[in-house]
Amino acid sequence: MTLFLTASALILLFTLSYTATCVASPFGNCRKCRGFGYLARTDRKGRPKRGKDCRRCQATGKRIRVGRWIYNRAVHVHRAGTR
């Protein structure tokens, strides 16, 4: 029984902390370009140089978090259903 309560408490703690993160900062760094907005490349001498703009984030370096995306969709469906 205590294992169940511990697991439930950890899941609740994780959910609340992720919700707080989505509220405080709805955008995170892009996973593909790691927040740079472009893919980092190196030239033949090994020096870093700017690559092409990131297609996933359109060179902003930011992406919307999954929890915030779900919340936005739920609000959109609710507003569309209550018109």
Side-chain angles (χ1 to χ4, degrees):
M1 187 69 170
T2 60
L3 182 63
F4 177 73
L5 290 175
T6 304
S8 297
L10 285 175
I11 289 172
L12 182 65
L13 178 68
F14 175 76
T15 303
L16 291 176
S17 64
Y18 185 71
T19 303
T21 302
C22 288
V23 169
S25 175
F27 295 98
N29 288 336
C30 177
R31 291 186 206 110
K32 189 171 184 179
C33 65
R34 289 180 253 133
F36 287 117
Y38 57 89
L39 298 175
R41 304 257 185 224
T42 56
D43 61 3
R44 295 189 311 186
K45 293 181 180 180
R47 292 181 299 207
K49 71 174 196 173
R50 182 184 169 102
K52 292 183 178 179
D53 288 343
C54 181
R55 290 175 23 188
R56 182 179 288 178
C57 64
Q58 286 81 33
T60 62
K62 296 294 179 186
R63 64 166 177 85
I64 193 160
R65 294 185 192 275
V66 175
R68 187 60 183 212
W69 185 84
I70 291 171
Y71 174 76
N72 289 347
R73 292 292 167 195
V75 167
H76 178 72
V77 168
H78 177 72
R79 284 184 185 155
T82 57
R83 285 186 190 166

